[in-house]
Amino acid sequence: MTTSTSRDIAQDTRDTSRSLSGGGRFTLLAVACLTIMVGTVVAPGLLNIAAALQVESHASWLITLPSLGAVLFAPIAGRMIDRLGAYRALTGGLFLYGLLGAGGALLEGTVAVFADRILLGGVTAVVMAGGTTLISEWYHGHARLKMIAQQGMSIELGGVIFLFVSGVLAGIAWQLPFLLAWLLLAMLWMMVPRQSPAAPDETAGKSGQPVLFASLTSVYLAAAMAMTLFFTAIVMLPKRLNLLGLNEASTGIFLAAISMVAVVAAMWMPKVSRTLREMPTLALAFVLYAASLFVFQQAENMGVMSAGAVLAGMGFGFSIPLLNHMTVERSHALVRGRNLAYLTMAIFLGQFLTTFLEFLPGDGRHVFGFGAVLGLIFAALYLGIHLLKRDNRGA
């Protein structure tokens, strides 16, 4: 009995001391790019792609329906990750991502094409939550926060890359980028071990009470609102920039610049979070969102609009990667996949809701103003939560 116990302890020590190779780390970060690619890959050639698929009258839904699919299927994705394990779930998700994404080019007609896009969104939820769960199994403490921040950088950088690549391929074979999922599947098999190490505190605490949805409500609410505010700018800016004389190409560059700022801000986020703490960092992110939307509402030249782009990118970099980390840290290992899937649902819900903004009349100035007020309200809310918790600890 003693020998067996000693051997188990030694095995645990070896497992927790293992580290992921550089190739494995790159693979998990590259997987994060697929979450943004699901919509951006069809954006540059949207009208031609919609015509080829015979859905011209609802072209914009090719971009937005994956978000709805992620919302609908995220709870199922989470349970799948917790039951099968993150590695197996991610393997299946990558295979289906490539199949549904590239295979969608063979479909025609509204029902078939839109069903494919919704299912692709559900698979994206598996890929996003499964990838983050694997990161949480291989990294712990500050290393985990740093890795999740880099994951946020990968998501935004992926948006920039795939906007360019899909623009080049729009008239040739727009479905080709989806096959990247199968390349990443092969890399996952070769570079990421199937059995990830478990942290001692997580394996020892399996009898504890799992942290479920209700305990993370404030995190999910922040994620949904952060994405709503961020995508309010993304949806409404093209119309606003057109009034300032920018053409489609210049507008694309402007939006890509926001993503590049978000990449840099995500790199700074761990240091900012350690200095300010989590809730004040979230409050700062909402202030940045509010300021960016106010600038977009009031600006009359591109110099001022560029300042808004910097503020919007910083808001994203300080919010979404941090919320990923907060979900991981507050979740028991047994239900971490489920909780991350709920976070995915909140993120995509915020993104999906903003798609209806483009149907509003006018140039969007009143929408920017309303979003700015919402940002300030949520900044005050999360700063208040921080102060309340601090006072309770003091008491």
Side-chain angles (χ1 to χ4, degrees), residues 218-341:
S218 62
V219 175
Y220 299 141
L221 180 62
M225 184 51 57
M227 290 304 288
T228 298
L229 295 177
F230 182 72
F231 271 87
T232 293
I234 299 301
V235 170
M236 301 305 298
L237 272 174
K239 191 181 297 185
R240 184 83 176 89
L241 293 172
N242 181 257
L243 293 175
L244 294 178
L246 265 66
N247 58 23
E248 289 84 352
S250 298
T251 297
I253 293 172
F254 187 89
L255 296 178
I258 294 177
S259 294
M260 288 305 299
V261 173
V263 170
V264 177
M267 182 172 61
W268 292 342
M269 184 275 293
K271 183 176 293 185
V272 174
S273 177
R274 288 201 309 274
T275 303
L276 299 181
R277 312 299 292 174
E278 292 173 345
M279 288 300 179
T281 302
L282 271 184
L284 173 61
F286 281 114
V287 168
L288 291 166
Y289 281 130
S292 70
L293 293 170
F294 179 75
V295 169
F296 293 146
Q297 180 193 43
Q298 299 296 324
E300 297 296 341
N301 60 71
M302 288 309 301
V304 180
M305 289 292 281
S306 298
V310 172
L311 294 169
M314 291 178 66
F316 185 96
F318 287 169
S319 58
I320 299 302
L322 176 60
L323 290 164
N324 255 319
H325 178 72
M326 291 171 68
T327 303
V328 169
E329 290 296 304
R330 286 161 170 73
S331 298
H332 191 285
L334 293 177
V335 292
R336 185 170 292 149
R338 194 179 316 175
N339 290 344
L340 284 167

Side-chain angles (χ1 to χ4, degrees), residues 20 24 27-28 87 134 138 187-194:
L20 203 56
T27 300
L28 294 184
Y87 191 97
L134 266 185
W138 279 99
M187 292 171 62
L188 183 72
W189 282 337
M190 292 186 294
M191 300 181 184
V192 179
R194 284 160 178 74

Side-chain angles (χ1 to χ4, degrees), residues 136-194:
S136 74
E137 292 175 356
W138 279 99
Y139 297 89
H140 307 282
H142 178 63
R144 176 186 283 167
L145 176 59
K146 185 177 178 180
M147 185 66 175
I148 290 180
Q150 291 173 352
Q151 182 193 42
M153 294 165 59
S154 298
I155 292 173
E156 283 302 303
L157 191 58
V160 176
I161 294 172
F162 286 116
L163 276 171
F164 172 76
V165 171
S166 57
V168 173
L169 294 175
I172 307 171
W174 60 267
Q175 69 273 24
L176 283 181
F178 286 106
L179 297 180
L180 172 65
W182 288 351
L183 173 62
L184 292 176
L185 175 58
M187 292 171 62
L188 183 72
W189 282 337
M190 292 186 294
M191 300 181 184
V192 179
R194 284 160 178 74

Side-chain angles (χ1 to χ4, degrees), residues 18-31:
R18 286 193 300 163
S19 60
L20 203 56
S21 67
R25 179 172 168 274
F26 175 82
T27 300
L28 294 184
L29 291 177
V31 164

Side-chain angles (χ1 to χ4, degrees), residues 71-142:
V71 172
L72 294 176
F73 289 100
I76 299 174
R79 283 171 171 78
M80 183 186 303
I81 292 168
D82 289 333
R83 181 166 297 180
L84 300 179
Y87 191 97
R88 292 174 65 187
L90 181 57
T91 297
L94 289 172
F95 175 77
L96 290 175
Y97 190 102
L99 182 65
L100 292 170
L106 305 176
L107 303 175
E108 292 181 354
T110 303
V111 175
V113 171
F114 286 174
D116 178 80
R117 297 297 288 173
I118 290 173
L119 290 173
L120 181 59
V123 170
T124 303
V126 176
V127 170
M128 183 174 181
T132 304
T133 303
L134 266 185
I135 288 174
S136 74
E137 292 175 356
W138 279 99
Y139 297 89
H140 307 282
H142 178 63

